[in-house]
Amino acid sequence: MSVWSQFGRGLEFFRAQLSTRKYLRLGLLAILFLAFAVTSFRIIKSQNEQLFAPTSRSDFEDYYQASRLLAEGKDPYRADQLEDIRQLSGTFNPADFFDPVKLQKIIAKFRGLGTYLYLPFTAFALLPISGLGYHAAAAIFQAVSLLSLGLMIWFLYAADRSRLRDTWSERDFTVPLVSSVLLFAGFLAENAGNGNIGFFLLCLCLPGLLLSMKDRISSQVLGGFLIGIAVVLKITPIFLALVLLAYLRLFALAGLALGIAFGLLIPALALGFERNLELIQGWYALIISTYNKFVFMRPWANNQTISGAIGKFFISGSDVKQAAYGLPLLSGVSDHGTVRQFGMYVKIANLILMLACVVTTLGVMWRTFAGNFSHMMRAALGEKKNPTDFWSDVTLVRLAFLVILVSLVTSGVSWYHAYGMLFLPVYLRVRQSYNGQKLAPLEVFAFAFIGFFSLAPMVLSAHLREMLAMYSVFALGMVILAPGYIWLILRNSEARSGI
């Protein structure tokens, strides 16, 4: 019997046990949540100072230090340091490397620079704990983060039970939930272990998407508002607007705009309008303008994006361990012209994927509303008895998967754990499949591929993990999945007869 056959039999046995044993399902869910909680303690430790590559203890520390700077009236984006470094290029002398005093001053200029990449809202939201010591603040942050993950699961439970009422069963809910959490356990654990905002994004976006497809206008506005707040926390959820557009959830789009406006303006209550505006402009200059100019932002091994992949393959100095894996493919030191040329290739690839997302969105819209103007108007104005929802509409969930995938691979920086956002559509699709809407072979492959990179690092050697990361196998796989999902969506998107 082959290893693959044995694996298949083992998987089938596990699924059968999961379906028949309630305490196994609930126990696994409790163990996974406990594992995330234990992993989250990792960020509460002593600072690991490194002279030549000073690192923060966690992603949370980046937010925490930015919030402290904000409270002190300083710039969380450290624009003054950036200007000092720019001026350094004109005064730098290679002999300074051999002068300990001068070398220490040079290194100090780089400390903390570029660690906070978010809009002012994130630092503003942490002001209540910015006056605490790091350990106490980190403990509070992690507790609230885990609470947000629990709230997301509770929302799913309440929404699932509410829609089915008398026919609802615990097994039908927990089997897809446990399966999906297991599939993403590695990514979710890394979110917790890094003190990242991933759980907050999940808690905002999943309820936001579900509410946006409700009949009530107030629910649609609230759903869009939650997604808007997620956009201000991290810009990539803006791609979810395409999902709302495809089904003409105009009130949800209005709520999204309100959420963004709220997140942009609320820091002005504490900072004043002018300073808040200056900080937003500082964020734009540091993140958007810099990315448009340089493209390659932190193209290190674990950065699984198109820019990260091309950087590691072709631009020298992208990662300190490139040479150990025969990279970059081009010999010699990359000059400005080479960097600019490959940066253009990155922009073209990103643009193609983004345009493909927009075209797919318009295709879904056309298939849904073509020849039925009255249905289109009712959808736009908040129709009753809406036939579209994330529990039953396969195309809707597949489109959500596609836009989240594209938002991540076209971003400047997406670490492995950022792909935990795909939990949203994967859970919903697994829930649909449990109700008889079978997974397509491409979806089975996609979920298995994601599951491998989520779980395999727990057993793979450090060298093999590093090799897979350096060659951006995961990012390339995600890019290959995108056209497959586009084909799957457009092939199965059928026009509705209306109500």
Side-chain angles (χ1 to χ4, degrees), residues 9 43 56 67 73 82 84 105 149 170 187-188 195 217 240 258 269 304 350 367 378 396 407 413 431-432 451 494:
R9 285 176 178 268
I43 75 169
S56 58
S67 186
L82 186 61
D84 286 347
K105 289 181 179 180
L149 181 65
E170 171 272 329
F187 292 156
L188 297 177
I217 292 175
L240 293 176
L258 286 174
L269 292 179
Q304 297 298 302
N350 286 346
R367 287 281 190 87
R378 287 199 299 274
L396 180 57
S407 75
V413 180
R431 183 70 175 93
Q432 290 175 343
E494 298 176 359

Side-chain angles (χ1 to χ4, degrees), residues 57-381:
R57 282 163 281 196
S58 61
D59 290 341
F60 166 72
E61 185 170 17
D62 296 335
Y63 318 145
Y64 170 74
Q65 294 295 347
S67 186
R68 289 173 68 89
L69 289 173
L70 204 65
E72 295 168 3
K74 299 178 182 178
D75 180 12
Y77 304 108
R78 306 173 192 258
D80 54 338
Q81 286 182 235
L82 186 61
E83 185 59 34
D84 286 347
I85 292 170
R86 285 174 178 165
Q87 293 178 3
L88 182 66
S89 61
T91 60
F92 176 71
N93 186 335
D96 292 344
F97 273 127
F98 303 98
D99 185 327
V101 176
K102 291 184 178 180
L103 179 60
Q104 189 173 7
K105 289 181 179 180
I106 291 172
I107 292 173
K109 292 180 183 293
F110 287 88
R111 288 187 185 277
L113 184 64
T115 55
Y116 182 70
L117 306 177
Y118 304 90
L119 281 158
F121 178 77
T122 305
F124 166 79
L126 292 178
L127 283 177
I129 62 173
S130 64
L132 301 175
Y134 171 80
H135 294 86
I140 293 173
F141 178 86
Q142 292 292 65
V144 177
S145 178
L146 289 167
L147 177 62
S148 69
L149 181 65
L151 284 174
M152 182 198 71
I153 293 174
W154 174 84
F155 181 90
L156 286 175
Y157 164 80
D160 198 41
R161 186 163 189 168
S162 175
R163 73 187 181 91
L164 295 175
R165 293 187 172 87
D166 296 337
T167 61
W168 185 86
S169 85
E170 171 272 329
R171 182 183 67 181
D172 292 349
F173 171 71
T174 53
V175 170
L177 178 64
V178 172
S179 301
S180 301
V181 174
L182 271 173
L183 192 70
F184 282 88
F187 292 156
L188 297 177
E190 279 301 301
N191 266 298
N194 286 303
N196 196 265
I197 57 174
F199 291 167
F200 295 104
L201 296 177
L202 287 171
C203 189
L204 290 166
C205 291
L206 195 148
L209 286 172
L210 294 178
L211 289 170
S212 295
M213 295 297 159
K214 293 284 187 181
D215 293 333
R216 295 177 60 183
I217 292 175
S218 58
S219 295
Q220 294 176 32
V221 173
L222 176 59
F225 185 86
L226 293 176
I227 297 173
I229 295 297
V231 171
V232 181
L233 283 175
K234 188 174 184 178
I235 197 68
T236 48
I238 191 64
F239 279 72
L240 293 176
L242 293 175
V243 179
L244 307 181
L245 178 64
Y247 291 87
L248 293 178
R249 313 311 285 175
L250 300 188
F251 289 103
L253 287 169
L256 186 148
L258 286 174
I260 293 174
F262 175 84
L264 291 176
L265 296 177
I266 193 66
L269 292 179
L271 308 175
F273 181 80
E274 288 188 7
R275 182 161 183 245
N276 184 49
L277 182 59
E278 288 176 1
L279 290 173
I280 293 173
Q281 291 172 339
W283 170 84
Y284 184 88
L286 178 64
I287 304 303
I288 306 301
S289 296
T290 301
Y291 177 69
N292 286 336
K293 183 176 181 180
F294 297 105
V295 178
F296 299 104
M297 297 176 63
R298 299 181 181 179
W300 307 331
N302 288 334
N303 182 5
Q304 297 298 302
T305 59
I306 292 174
S307 64
I310 292 181
K312 283 171 282 186
F313 279 126
F314 300 107
I315 307 299
S316 59
S318 291
D319 190 281
V320 294
K321 295 184 179 180
Q322 274 177 298
Y325 297 93
L327 298 174
L329 299 177
L330 298 178
S331 60
V333 178
S334 302
D335 57 25
H336 180 71
T338 301
V339 174
R340 188 172 182 178
Q341 178 184 359
F342 283 101
M344 183 60 65
Y345 295 156
V346 170
K347 291 180 180 180
I348 292 172
N350 286 346
L351 182 61
I352 290 173
L353 278 180
M354 291 177 187
L355 288 177
C357 263
V358 173
V359 170
T360 304
T361 297
L362 296 176
V364 172
M365 186 192 301
W366 175 259
R367 287 281 190 87
T368 303
F369 300 108
N372 198 330
F373 180 76
S374 61
H375 176 40
M376 181 180 71
M377 292 303 297
R378 287 199 299 274
L381 297 176

